[in-house]
Amino acid sequence: MDLTVAEENYLKAIYHLSDGGKKSVSTNDIAAEINTKPASVSDMLRKLGEKEVIEYRKYYGLQITETGKRYALQTIRKHRLWEVFLVEKLNFAWDEVHEVAEQLEHIQSPLLIQRLDAYLNFPKFDPHGDPIPDEFGDVRSRPRVQLNEMDVDQTGQIVAVKDSSAAFLRYLDKVGAYIGARIKVLDKVEFDGSLEILVDQKKTLFMSKDVASNILVLQS
Amino acid sequence: MDLTVAEENYLKAIYHLSDGGKKSVSTNDIAAEINTKPASVSDMLRKLGEKEVIEYRKYYGLQITETGKRYALQTIRKHRLWEVFLVEKLNFAWDEVHEVAEQLEHIQSPLLIQRLDAYLNFPKFDPHGDPIPDEFGDVRSRPRVQLNEMDVDQTGQIVAVKDSSAAFLRYLDKVGAYIGARIKVLDKVEFDGSLEILVDQKKTLFMSKDVASNILVLQS
DNA sequence: TTTCAAATTTAGGTTTGGCTAAAAATAAAT
DNA sequence: ATTTATTTTTAGCCAAACCTAAATTTGAAA
């Protein structure tokens, strides 16, 4: 199911006002937060209830559902990643980023966000110091493994290198592997531990165990 | 006046179909291009006519106005800059960028586009080889001057450096000047040609004529 | 417990951007 | 020149997301 831009904004507001689903939120509070009239909020709450991203009982208030939280966190994640981008790459001041990020957060493209995340080096906090949820909507960071320790058919994303010498990075670049690349282990040679890897579902490449042991992968 | 997303898309389609305002375009062609019904197109053409971005005579066809062209080129500029970003920075393949750029092109923020342009080093072509219009909507590239040759009160944007040694770039970074910064000459010392510069309407900084002569500015 | 003020919802209206079906204008063919 | 086919426009509807004004519900105070 897909949410409209307005629905995303409501969910985000509800998530924030309820402090992540803890506190209860009033129609008036939501109206104030997103600058609309309470009547419009009532209308939207009914719709959000039908889509089951909140549990809504007229006059009695609402509760954000697990599904709803996922959507809200996804939007927050995108917002904060864009903020990092604007500040670190485009030299925006920390206080100039909000309204632009407010627009950028609604761009639909999971690939874009994955790549942006990688490009920014998987930041954990935005320029205001707020934590950036991971792609599953939580802050728990999953373990990274060395590429040479993965098994055939396992997939993941290159997130870091152990040896960050220019020579090694140039080599990775040349063969088409880079921070953020999605990879899959196609084959593993028992004899010397060398690997055949599929990069971004397109290129295949071979690498020695030595090289693989310098590549850190976030498994998926 | 501000255009809606739909209006921007229509204008872009009209601009493309008319080959920049040369050929005439039919209602049916537009409908086919943007995947709507001719009836919806008629409706929109009336609105675009009222907003004077096209000249529209029922049944007789339409002509994009100069204002309309400006808007169309602005959207095309944004689209192509984002394509460069996606390919060069986020490792998108040249054929994966279109639909994402189609969304990104509607983000409203002149500052964002200025900074993005600078960040990408003022590319003249997108990954498909199509030219990127400048911020005034044309391809004519304006002359760059050395910062030391500018007069007091003149403004512009840093677009390049002559000496691109790491040391010089580090220096620029340290003092808060960078490719893409908007600057204004506040004062010029006759005696030695040194300058006082306002960067991004915030920081002021002093620099020798020697340093200034290595900074290229696009005047505005 | 009844009353009343605040919060919330409903009813009905607007704009934007679509749609279908029907009408009107233009262009092509006999 | 008249009929026919094509293109384009109008008329009338729909959904999303807002609005105002009028009900309704809740809960706090008398």
Side-chain angles (χ1 to χ4, degrees):
Chain A
M1 180 206 32
D2 258 18
L3 300 180
T4 66
V5 168
E7 285 166 345
E8 281 185 1
N9 283 333
Y10 271 91
L11 267 186
K12 197 164 54 110
I14 291 166
Y15 183 85
H16 279 136
L17 288 171
S18 70
D19 200 12
K22 282 173 248 168
K23 291 201 254 294
S24 84
V25 197
S26 79
T27 301
N28 274 345
D29 288 351
I30 298 171
E33 175 81 6
I34 64 182
N35 261 293
T36 52
K37 302 290 159 177
S40 310
V41 175
S42 283
D43 226 53
M44 182 56 97
L45 292 183
R46 189 183 42 71
K47 288 182 205 161
L48 292 177
E50 280 165 14
K51 292 204 172 183
E52 303 191 344
V53 290
I54 63 171
E55 218 179 285
Y56 175 51
R57 279 169 46 233
K58 291 195 301 192
Y59 295 104
Y60 273 82
L62 60 95
Q63 174 101 34
I64 190 164
T65 65
E66 280 308 309
T67 314
K69 269 185 218 170
R70 274 217 318 280
Y71 281 112
L73 284 163
Q74 190 51 39
T75 306
I76 290 165
R77 167 176 166 75
K78 292 197 277 179
H79 183 102
R80 293 183 178 164
L81 282 175
W82 281 116
E83 285 193 345
V84 172
F85 170 72
L86 293 172
V87 168
E88 299 213 333
K89 303 295 184 180
L90 299 196
N91 294 295
F92 275 64
W94 70 274
D95 56 322
E96 297 174 324
V97 295
H98 190 75
E99 58 171 327
V100 183
E102 206 70 8
Q103 295 180 62
L104 286 164
E105 75 188 6
H106 300 295
I107 302 291
Q108 290 319 127
S109 168
L111 181 63
L112 173 63
I113 295 306
Q114 267 171 28
R115 292 286 170 88
L116 184 65
D117 191 26
Y119 184 56
L120 299 172
N121 241 289
F122 308 98
K124 295 281 167 286
F125 300 92
D126 75 10
H128 309 90
D130 297 313
I132 299 174
D134 71 17
E135 63 182 308
F136 304 104
D138 48 40
V139 190
R140 153 177 63 83
S141 67
R142 285 146 311 135
R144 291 147 187 219
V145 298
Q146 286 175 209
L147 178 47
N148 63 304
E149 288 165 355
M150 290 176 69
D151 292 321
V152 169
D153 278 347
Q154 291 189 322
T155 61
Q157 199 170 16
I158 299 178
V159 295
V161 291
K162 285 191 143 177
D163 173 2
S164 60
S165 69
F168 187 60
L169 293 175
R170 259 200 310 281
Y171 161 76
L172 285 184
D173 211 57
K174 205 182 92 193
V175 299
Y178 54 91
I179 304 290
R182 320 209 105 243
I183 56 107
K184 178 175 184 177
V185 178
L186 293 178
D187 197 18
K188 235 177 141 168
V189 179
E190 290 267 322
F191 174 64
D192 65 351
S194 66
L195 300 152
E196 187 183 3
I197 304 293
L198 178 68
V199 179
D200 285 332
Q201 288 151 40
K202 280 182 302 220
K203 261 173 293 203
T204 67
L205 66 95
F206 294 88
M207 61 174 68
S208 68
K209 179 177 180 179
D210 222 68
V211 165
S213 68
N214 277 299
I215 297 177
L216 295 180
V217 175
L218 191 59
Q219 285 192 266
S220 53
Chain B
M1 179 208 29
D2 256 19
L3 299 180
T4 66
V5 168
E7 285 166 346
E8 281 184 1
N9 283 333
Y10 270 92
L11 224 43
K12 196 166 54 111
I14 290 167
Y15 183 86
H16 279 136
L17 288 170
S18 71
D19 200 12
K22 282 172 251 169
K23 292 201 255 293
S24 84
V25 198
S26 79
T27 301
N28 273 346
D29 288 350
I30 298 171
E33 175 82 5
I34 64 181
N35 262 293
T36 51
K37 303 289 159 177
S40 309
V41 175
S42 284
D43 227 55
M44 183 56 95
L45 292 183
R46 187 182 44 70
K47 288 180 204 164
L48 293 177
E50 281 166 11
K51 291 203 172 183
E52 301 191 346
V53 291
I54 63 171
E55 219 178 284
Y56 175 52
R57 279 171 44 232
K58 290 195 303 194
Y59 294 106
Y60 274 82
L62 60 95
Q63 174 103 34
I64 190 163
T65 65
E66 281 308 310
T67 313
K69 268 185 217 169
R70 274 216 318 280
Y71 281 112
L73 284 164
Q74 191 52 39
T75 306
I76 290 166
R77 166 175 166 75
K78 292 196 278 179
H79 182 102
R80 292 183 179 163
L81 282 175
W82 281 116
E83 285 193 344
V84 172
F85 170 72
L86 293 173
V87 168
E88 300 213 331
K89 304 295 186 183
L90 299 195
N91 294 296
F92 275 65
W94 69 274
D95 56 321
E96 296 174 324
V97 296
H98 190 73
E99 57 170 329
V100 183
E102 206 70 10
Q103 296 180 63
L104 286 164
E105 74 188 8
H106 299 295
I107 303 291
Q108 298 306 138
S109 167
L111 180 63
L112 173 63
I113 295 305
Q114 267 172 28
R115 292 287 169 87
L116 184 65
D117 192 27
Y119 184 54
L120 299 172
N121 240 288
F122 308 97
K124 293 283 167 285
F125 299 93
D126 75 10
H128 308 90
D130 296 313
I132 299 174
D134 71 17
E135 63 181 309
F136 305 104
D138 49 41
V139 190
R140 153 179 62 83
S141 67
R142 285 146 310 137
R144 290 144 188 223
V145 298
Q146 286 173 209
L147 178 48
N148 63 305
E149 287 164 356
M150 291 176 68
D151 293 319
V152 170
D153 277 346
Q154 291 190 320
T155 62
Q157 199 170 18
I158 297 178
V159 296
V161 290
K162 285 190 143 181
D163 173 0
S164 59
S165 68
F168 187 61
L169 293 175
R170 258 200 311 280
Y171 162 75
L172 285 184
D173 211 58
K174 203 182 95 195
V175 299
Y178 54 91
I179 303 290
R182 319 209 106 244
I183 57 108
K184 178 175 186 176
V185 177
L186 293 180
D187 197 19
K188 235 177 142 168
V189 178
E190 291 269 319
F191 174 64
D192 64 351
S194 65
L195 299 154
E196 187 183 3
I197 304 293
L198 178 68
V199 180
D200 286 332
Q201 287 150 39
K202 279 182 301 218
K203 260 174 291 202
T204 68
L205 65 96
F206 295 88
M207 61 174 67
S208 69
K209 180 178 180 180
D210 222 67
V211 165
S213 68
N214 277 300
I215 297 176
L216 295 180
V217 174
L218 190 59
Q219 286 191 266
S220 53

